[in-house]
Amino acid sequence: MPGKNIKLLAGKPLIAHSIDLARSSSRIETVIVSTDDPAIAEAARQAGAEVPFMRPAELASDTAPEWLAWRHAIDWFERERGRFDVFLSLPPTSPFRALEDVEGCLDALAADPAADVAITVREAERSPYFNMVSLDQQGYAGLVIPPAGGISRRQDAPKVYDITTVAYAARPQFVQRAGRLFEGAVRTVRVPAERALDIDTPYDFELAQAITMIRAGRAKD
């Protein structure tokens, strides 16, 4: 979806929704956008964020791990401005997040000194124990995680959750030393489905537009 992060939603670029929320929190001291795109950089600056560096091309492709972009930003900040306590990522693709979701991650990390990162999750609509399948070499389907003894109702399956892109809070030193998220101790903050939409496709964006229009109509009523 080319240009997704600067497509207009509710009259402003998608990325501006994340920036506005970050700037509304008294607990977030610095708001920086990492990008390799001059148009995104300009939209970010207009929304009030800093863009003090451009992300290297090798960290900006569709196949580049976001983890490495986090590490690049952390390394730059510590080199130029010094060490800091918490790295917070607010991807532009979740415009309906609430401040309580973001600060919930900060609280979860602060409350557990052993935690390396706090992420947002929502209850999954599908379960690998009940209605998610993988295919074998012959093309036959089987449950991703066959439960012992069998499960006849989804409600009886173990609870599973989808990771959302609402917020990630991490200790900077953990991102610098680890190779991926689940190498560390991960805390979670549950968010409702209506705040967890992740815009990844044109359909997702159309859905976000529809939700925005419905909410605007309710506000007028």
Side-chain angles (χ1 to χ4, degrees), residues 6 13 15 27 31 35 41 48-49 51 63 65 84 96 114 126 170 189:
I6 55 175
I15 196 170
R27 298 171 64 181
V31 181
T35 182
V51 191
T63 58
F84 59 103
F96 299 131
R126 299 282 177 177
V189 173

Side-chain angles (χ1 to χ4, degrees), residues 130-147:
F130 185 72
N131 55 10
M132 292 182 68
V133 300
S134 58
L135 304 182
D136 63 19
Q137 292 183 346
Q138 288 74 43
Y140 293 110
L143 283 173
V144 174
I145 306 177

Side-chain angles (χ1 to χ4, degrees), residues 5-216:
N5 289 338
I6 55 175
K7 287 180 68 68
L8 296 182
L9 180 67
K12 60 185 179 183
L14 189 59
I15 196 170
H17 292 268
S18 294
I19 294 170
D20 287 350
L21 187 138
R23 296 182 68 211
S24 74
S25 173
S26 61
R27 298 171 64 181
I28 299 174
E29 296 180 354
T30 306
V31 181
I32 286 177
V33 168
S34 170
T35 182
D36 71 322
D37 188 318
I40 293 176
E42 180 57 26
R45 292 188 182 100
Q46 290 185 8
E50 295 184 57
V51 191
F53 58 84
M54 297 300 285
R55 187 187 301 182
E58 64 270 20
L59 300 181
S61 69
D62 291 338
T63 58
E66 185 178 1
W67 190 260
L68 297 183
W70 289 7
R71 184 182 294 168
H72 175 266
I74 291 169
D75 288 345
W76 180 92
F77 195 96
E78 292 197 340
R79 184 175 62 251
E80 299 296 327
R81 303 187 186 179
R83 295 173 70 86
F84 59 103
D85 296 327
V86 177
F87 171 81
L88 179 69
S89 174
L90 303 180
T93 53
S94 286
F96 299 131
R97 65 170 62 86
L99 185 59
E100 66 186 273
D101 304 324
V102 176
E103 296 194 339
C105 285
L106 298 177
D107 291 337
L109 202 61
D112 184 356
D116 296 301
V117 61
I119 64 174
T120 49
V121 299
R122 54 165 291 190
E123 188 170 339
E125 296 176 357
R126 299 282 177 177
S127 170
Y129 297 93
F130 185 72
N131 55 10
M132 292 182 68
V133 300
S134 58
L135 304 182
D136 63 19
Q137 292 183 346
Q138 288 74 43
Y140 293 110
L143 283 173
V144 174
I145 306 177
I151 293 174
S152 58
R153 300 189 314 154
R154 183 179 181 275
Q155 295 90 330
D156 298 327
K159 284 279 189 182
V160 293
Y161 300 89
D162 287 329
I163 298 174
T164 78
T165 57
V166 170
Y168 306 81
R171 302 193 194 282
Q173 295 75 23
F174 169 66
V175 178
Q176 289 172 318
R177 72 171 185 268
R180 58 186 183 277
L181 182 71
F182 288 101
E183 283 185 17
V186 181
R187 286 292 184 185
T188 62
V189 173
R190 299 181 194 180
V191 299
E194 61 267 22
R195 299 206 297 263
L197 178 64
D198 179 18
I199 299 176
D200 189 47
T201 67
Y203 172 78
D204 295 332
F205 193 82
E206 290 177 2
L207 182 58
Q209 289 178 311
I211 292 171
T212 299
M213 292 176 63
I214 291 171
R215 291 181 177 179

